[in-house]
Amino acid sequence: MNVSAINQYTYCPRRFGLIYLENEFSDNVYTARGNAEHKQVDHIGWITTREGARAEYALPIWSDHFGLIGKCDVVEFWLDGSIYPVEYKHGARKKRLNDDLQLAGQAMCLEEMTGRPVTHGAIYHHSSRRRREVIITAALRAQVKEAIAAIRLLLASGTLPPPVNDARCKECSLKDICQPEVLAQKSSYQTAQTGLFIIDD
């Protein structure tokens, strides 16, 4: 399972299902910008930062214990031995749990690979060009494990989750494929129909 699947699932289980069960994907302006930003990061290789840390770009990661594979946008290896993953995201600096869980999944992979604790990381928000530091807490790790278990159950079931039809849908590149408004209206109609009774005089 790719670490990025944790982000997709915790953002929206139906979006995850459309991508991983039905092989559906469509770009929009937001995903196109994000892809361009990730490609730019992937080509850098590695550098030494002004503070003396070695920054590895597009670093492959994995965890045999959790069955995860993936790639970190940036991992900073500091002189004191600390390891600091940085995930690049398009958009302004804003806390999103799905992004934090992806970063925590990366940290858990790095811990298994290196045998060293990874206690902090950051989300780099490209639009604002600012980092938002994330503490890799026990609660965040537990949510990653819960998401992994839920993803495996969903994949085993082969059942596409229902649409959420909320604020998440506005910027989703799969909105036209998902059709959350239409399906929500259909569900409401069916619910109303089951509430009708015919009374014979």
Side-chain angles (χ1 to χ4, degrees):
M1 179 191 308
N2 199 295
V3 179
S4 62
I6 297 169
N7 192 315
Q8 296 286 1
Y9 177 83
T10 52
Y11 181 76
C12 173
R14 183 173 176 85
R15 177 180 170 84
F16 172 88
L18 286 168
I19 295 171
Y20 287 90
L21 290 176
E22 301 195 356
N23 296 313
E24 296 281 5
F25 194 78
S26 177
D27 274 321
N28 64 8
V29 64
Y30 304 105
T31 58
R33 286 174 182 168
N35 290 337
E37 289 156 10
H38 276 90
K39 284 181 181 178
Q40 186 177 16
V41 172
D42 287 351
H43 289 305
I44 294 175
W46 69 270
I47 62 170
T48 301
T49 68
R50 287 180 298 177
E51 295 81 4
R54 175 173 175 165
E56 294 272 1
Y57 289 78
L59 181 68
I61 56 171
W62 65 88
S63 166
D64 292 331
H65 180 74
F66 296 110
L68 296 173
I69 59 170
K71 183 170 61 175
C72 286
D73 290 332
V74 184
V75 181
E76 296 173 353
F77 295 89
W78 289 84
L79 297 177
D80 64 0
S82 60
I83 300 169
Y84 194 89
V86 182
E87 175 67 15
Y88 276 54
K89 294 297 180 186
H90 175 73
R93 187 174 181 269
K94 182 179 179 182
K95 180 177 175 60
R96 293 182 175 87
L97 178 61
N98 52 300
D99 292 340
D100 292 0
L101 291 175
Q102 180 181 358
L103 186 70
Q106 293 174 357
M108 292 158 71
C109 288
L110 288 166
E111 287 177 332
E112 185 175 323
M113 291 168 59
T114 64
R116 301 189 65 88
V118 180
T119 60
H120 294 72
I123 306 295
Y124 177 80
H125 298 272
H126 191 270
S127 292
S128 57
R129 300 189 183 279
R130 294 178 63 194
R131 287 186 179 189
R132 177 176 59 83
E133 186 167 78
V134 178
I135 301 173
I136 312 301
T137 63
L140 211 56
R141 294 168 189 270
Q143 286 177 283
V144 170
K145 295 174 187 177
E146 290 169 4
I148 291 170
I151 287 169
R152 292 204 170 110
L153 284 174
L154 175 56
L155 291 174
S157 74
T159 303
L160 187 65
V164 292
N165 194 31
D166 62 18
R168 287 171 286 180
C169 303
K170 183 179 178 181
E171 297 177 357
C172 180
S173 63
L174 299 184
K175 184 177 180 181
D176 290 341
I177 296 170
C178 177
Q179 297 187 318
E181 300 97 335
V182 174
L183 292 174
Q185 288 172 359
K186 182 179 179 182
S187 176
S188 297
Y189 175 77
Q190 289 173 339
T191 301
Q193 287 295 98
T194 58
L196 294 177
F197 296 93
I198 298 175
I199 300 175
D200 292 325
D201 292 331

